[in-house]
Amino acid sequence: MAVDIVMPQMGESIFEGTITKWLKKPGDKVERDEPLFEISTDKVDAEIPSPSAGVLKEIKVSEGQTVPIQTVVGVIDAASAAASSAPAPAKAAAPAPAKAPAAAAPAPAISRPAASAPPAAPVASTSASSSSSSERIHSSPLVRRMAKEHGIDLSTIEGTGAGGRISKQDIEAVIAAGGVPAAAPAYSAPAPAAISRPAAPPSPAAAPGTQVHVVLENAVPREKMYFGNYEVHPMSAMRQRIAEHMVASKRVSAHVYSVDEIDMTKVAALRAKSKDEFEKRYETKLTFMPFFVKAAVAGLRAFPTLNASLDGTNVILHKEINVGIAVALDWGLLVPVVKNADEKNILGIQRNMNDLAERARSKRLKPEEVQESTFSITNPGVFGGLFGLPVISQPNVGILGLGAIEKRPVVINDSIAIRSMCYVTLSYDHRVVDGAVAHQFLHKVKETLENWSEPVL
């Protein structure tokens, strides 16, 4: 019995995904729920299990292709013993979207066949698609956000996606062509140079079947980028999304940075004293990060302007405190979210963080676990960095960067002492947050950590 393998829906707002890697090849035996292929969406990377035991008979969607949900991406010749327990997913929705890869062909500026030149700065399409309510323009939240950024009227664009939806490929094609006149952009007082972008030169081609979406215009002619001896490595789907999100954040938010130094001696001594008993009692390691999360929560409670988002000229002050924690992976970066961090103690935060980090590394995160952050923390110090100036994770208006905790000589009461010191930086959106508030927030974080009083056991 043939069992269809379909592109799953990895969240309510996700309507397409990119196959990044097939873990099996035609002819291989597979067990039910055994990882079969990897996908990348606008939210997470994930391993998709086999819907049935049997033999992988056919791969219909190759690596690098982006297709709508419910598209049949492969077929399993199910083993007779597993056939009864592994019914095939509904096929009714599959035939129409199965042609989606071919439907992308009418956008020549977006999908390109192979050529001699190597790829420049591509970003793969992983955005979701949904229906807008008022004007019945079919587009995803990401597409609508990009349209706002660039002052593009979506009603002037003819969508090439299923059902006439406007895909990210469509909006990027318009941006690359110089944009479409529209009403005033929703973002307040953006820098003209950051929004008005000249048409980009043709980008080099990618491998056959790969969708390439140009986000950055090259500062120098393409012919001057390739010289001497060099290797070309195509960006992974995740790397492309990171590039897109970072460029969008720098374009949208007015980044300003503040730096402070915190004496972590008291926290370091408490952790050193408690970490063995903590791990023995709770079966999880105690790191410095939950202390910083608790300190950030104290700062956000005192200065809620940093626990906010900006929608045009409206500042949204969030009641929940959901802290995104950047997790470095071998293949990129994810920011899973500790929800309601203000309601958790050190143990609760540590367990939540360890669970999220582990599942991020094993590609088992759910889309909702990387959504709805209200503030973010990143830790370049764990790799030895003195401090960093991180890019704001949209739609947040602030991100805290942690430097390395190291012993340094400092002056205390006119005497030199050896203390465990740490630089912290705050990147904040100056459209919402003023410097005075940013420094008061940092001072609250500093005060909380230097005068730590909460027990950990």
Side-chain angles (χ1 to χ4, degrees):
M1 182 181 73
V3 175
D4 288 340
I5 308 164
V6 300
M7 175 64 70
Q9 183 169 16
M10 297 297 291
E12 290 184 2
S13 63
I14 296 177
F15 287 80
E16 62 187 8
T18 301
I19 293 183
T20 55
K21 184 178 181 180
W22 279 96
L23 304 175
K24 299 288 184 178
K25 60 182 182 294
D28 285 353
K29 291 183 178 180
V30 295
E31 298 295 331
R32 181 181 175 85
D33 296 327
E34 181 182 4
L36 187 58
F37 61 98
E38 295 179 359
I39 68 169
S40 179
T41 71
D42 196 40
K43 303 298 180 185
V44 294
D45 284 3
E47 290 182 343
I48 305 304
S50 172
S52 171
V55 175
L56 181 59
K57 181 179 180 180
E58 180 184 2
I59 290 177
K60 293 189 173 183
V61 178
S62 59
E63 294 177 359
Q65 284 189 304
T66 300
V67 294
I69 60 170
Q70 298 305 317
T71 297
V72 178
V73 299
V75 178
I76 289 177
D77 186 5
S80 58
S84 60
S85 61
K91 299 181 181 180
K99 301 295 183 181
I110 305 299
S111 273
R112 302 180 177 88
S116 58
V123 169
S125 172
T126 54
S127 66
S129 297
S130 63
S131 297
S132 63
S133 58
S134 58
E135 300 179 1
R136 305 191 64 81
I137 297 174
H138 298 275
S139 63
S140 70
L142 176 61
V143 167
R144 293 193 290 274
R145 189 198 72 199
M146 294 172 68
K148 286 183 180 180
E149 286 181 34
H150 297 278
I152 296 172
D153 184 355
L154 288 177
S155 65
T156 65
I157 302 175
E158 182 177 353
T160 62
R165 67 184 177 84
I166 301 173
S167 67
K168 194 173 72 170
Q169 297 98 308
D170 298 327
I171 192 73
E172 285 178 341
V174 173
I175 292 170
V180 175
Y187 293 102
S188 57
I195 300 299
S196 298
R197 301 166 63 202
S203 69
T210 301
Q211 293 183 331
V212 176
H213 313 294
V214 178
V215 170
L216 288 173
E217 292 81 7
N218 299 322
V220 295
R222 193 177 71 190
E223 59 271 15
K224 293 186 179 180
M225 296 179 62
Y226 303 97
F227 52 85
N229 296 320
Y230 61 85
E231 293 181 354
V232 175
H233 299 276
M235 297 171 75
S236 67
M238 176 177 282
R239 190 79 259 158
Q240 294 170 38
R241 291 201 317 279
I242 291 172
E244 176 188 330
H245 293 168
M246 294 300 96
V247 169
S249 182
K250 293 291 283 188
R251 185 187 306 120
V252 170
S253 293
H255 281 66
V256 182
Y257 311 95
S258 295
V259 183
D260 209 334
E261 188 177 25
I262 299 176
D263 186 344
M264 294 290 293
T265 303
K266 191 169 185 177
V267 170
L270 176 62
R271 175 179 174 271
K273 178 183 177 181
S274 306
K275 64 179 182 178
D276 291 339
E277 178 63 23
F278 188 93
E279 184 172 0
K280 179 180 178 181
R281 184 182 301 183
Y282 303 122
E283 298 182 346
T284 189
K285 291 184 178 181
L286 177 62
T287 67
F288 282 104
M289 183 60 78
F291 294 94
F292 284 105
V293 173
K294 292 288 288 184
V297 165
L300 295 171
R301 279 175 171 165
F303 303 97
T305 305
L306 276 151
N307 196 55
S309 302
L310 184 64
D311 180 20
T313 57
N314 296 321
V315 177
I316 304 167
L317 298 178
H318 300 288
K319 300 298 183 181
E320 299 86 1
I321 297 180
N322 301 334
V323 181
I325 308 293
V327 176
L329 307 171
D330 292 340
W331 57 92
L333 182 76
L334 281 177
V335 187
V337 181
V338 177
K339 302 288 181 68
N340 300 307
D342 53 324
E343 300 177 1
K344 295 179 170 67
N345 60 10
I346 288 291
L347 174 61
I349 292 172
Q350 186 70 77
R351 276 184 169 164
N352 198 172
M353 287 172 40
N354 289 350
D355 173 60
L356 290 170
E358 173 61 28
R359 288 191 292 112
R361 295 185 179 100
S362 59
K363 299 184 178 180
R364 292 184 292 114
L365 278 180
K366 300 175 182 177
E368 58 267 25
E369 291 173 325
V370 294
Q371 296 175 343
E372 298 182 357
S373 69
T374 61
F375 187 79
S376 301
I377 300 177
T378 184
N379 186 16
V382 74
F383 303 107
L386 190 60
F387 65 83
L389 301 175
V391 178
I392 297 169
S393 178
Q394 298 298 321
N396 300 166
V397 297
I399 180 170
L400 189 68
L402 312 178
I405 299 174
E406 57 184 16
K407 291 185 176 181
R408 292 196 291 270
V410 296
V411 177
I412 299 177
N413 296 327
D414 293 333
S415 299
I416 296 177
I418 304 300
R419 311 290 288 181
S420 295
M421 305 300 294
C422 174
Y423 287 109
V424 294
T425 59
L426 178 67
S427 305
Y428 55 97
D429 190 339
H430 211 345
R431 297 177 303 165
V432 179
V433 183
D434 290 330
V437 174
H439 282 279
Q440 290 176 82
F441 169 85
L442 280 178
H443 181 75
K444 184 64 177 179
V445 171
K446 175 185 175 78
E447 180 183 57
T448 302
L449 290 167
E450 291 185 345
N451 299 286
W452 189 268
S453 59
E454 182 179 333
V456 298
L457 292 173

